Amino acid sequence: MSAPERIPPRSVTTAELLARGELTVRGQIRDASNAVLHCSVSHDGQEALCVYKPVRGERPLWDFPDGTLAQREVAAYEVSEATGWGLVPPTVLRDGPYGEGMCQLWIDGVPGSELLALVDAEEPEPGWKAIGLAEVGEGKTALLVHADDERLRRLAVLDAVINNADRKGGHLLPAEGGHLYGIDHGVTFNTENKLRTLLWGWAGEPLTGEAVDVLKSLKETLGPSGALARRLAVLITAAELDATRARVDALLDSGKHPEPSGEWPAIPWPPV
């Protein structure tokens, strides 16, 4: 089966294509915890591949209200766009074959872009950051590390803002041209601190000047009359929006990457 023509991520036509195009289900991604459908979307002579996650296919979670994961995925995209980093593929909320759901541009990951590794060492080598020890069987452990990569560092800042409770290795997609995308943002924006991630390598370190500038911009656009605040207000609750503002303020006040709170498992399981 030949693949349809790819639409460049983050182009103006991409959002219109995803929102208005005719969705055709091609298959189901079966190893996902919620219903995830691989689709094509076509509109006005253009076609692309996408992921469609219908709300009615969401698995109930004790700590997130039912039927809200799709909206949180779109909210994560909106925050990503506001940073200017383009870390989340274009994502919209729309009706589809199985009702309302999230529709996101499909990204083909580029193989061979190693961002995570297990090493038999006590300290990471130059160019890598330590996450922690992981059991590898037969009572043995290995050091889990991630690349000391500015793209991952930006993603770590985004995750801190949106309170991502599930940043796994499989959610990192290196794409053509050296771009990095993060996917699967359904469990985000909780009012409680639930940050769980593999990107702890910079924990406690000062934020980059770029990150501080981005956070200052987010603070402004998250204000009561800010454009981002208006977009998020229809996707998450008022309390969750206030909590997002508070997280941005806390990052600016500390000037550092957050550290594990100790009140919640710091690393998602399974990590990949």
Side-chain angles (χ1 to χ4, degrees), residues 28-222:
Q28 183 175 2
I29 301 174
R30 298 193 176 276
D31 58 353
S33 56
N34 298 297
V36 182
L37 302 176
H38 186 215
C39 302
S40 60
V41 59
S42 59
H43 175 66
D44 197 23
Q46 292 184 299
E47 191 174 15
L49 296 177
C50 63
V51 170
Y52 164 53
K53 298 182 182 180
V55 170
R56 70 196 218 187
E58 294 177 2
R59 179 170 55 89
L61 299 173
W62 68 269
D63 52 349
F64 285 85
D66 290 351
T68 68
L69 304 192
Q71 290 92 326
R72 296 170 193 277
E73 294 245 28
V74 179
Y77 167 68
E78 293 289 355
V79 175
S80 168
E81 288 299 281
T83 66
W85 288 332
L87 296 169
V88 179
T91 312
V92 301
L93 193 67
R94 59 161 293 167
D95 195 29
Y98 298 100
E100 185 179 61
M102 178 276 278
C103 185
Q104 184 177 83
L105 187 69
W106 179 271
I107 301 295
D108 284 320
V110 176
S113 302
E114 191 174 19
L115 297 173
L116 297 165
L118 282 169
V119 296
D120 185 13
E122 294 183 358
E123 297 291 337
E125 294 182 357
W128 294 88
K129 289 284 190 177
I131 303 169
L133 294 174
E135 294 186 7
V136 293
E138 300 181 355
K140 297 181 179 179
T141 60
L143 184 64
L144 182 61
V145 297
H146 67 68
D148 188 2
D149 187 307
E150 69 173 7
R151 301 171 301 170
L152 290 180
R153 192 165 191 172
R154 289 170 176 171
L155 196 57
V157 174
L158 176 68
D159 284 344
V161 171
I162 66 177
N163 197 15
N164 192 350
D166 196 32
R167 175 60 73 206
K168 297 177 179 177
H171 300 167
L172 305 173
L173 294 181
E176 292 182 359
H179 200 93
L180 178 70
Y181 290 99
I183 61 171
D184 284 348
H185 298 104
V187 286
T188 49
F189 295 100
N190 201 293
T191 55
E192 298 180 12
N193 180 10
K194 291 184 178 290
L195 185 60
R196 289 198 307 173
T197 176
L198 288 178
L199 305 181
W200 287 117
W202 299 280
E205 292 187 16
L207 295 165
T208 65
E210 177 194 48
V212 171
D213 289 342
V214 165
L215 290 167
K216 288 179 179 178
S217 178
L218 284 180
K219 180 180 175 69
E220 181 176 350
T221 194
L222 282 169

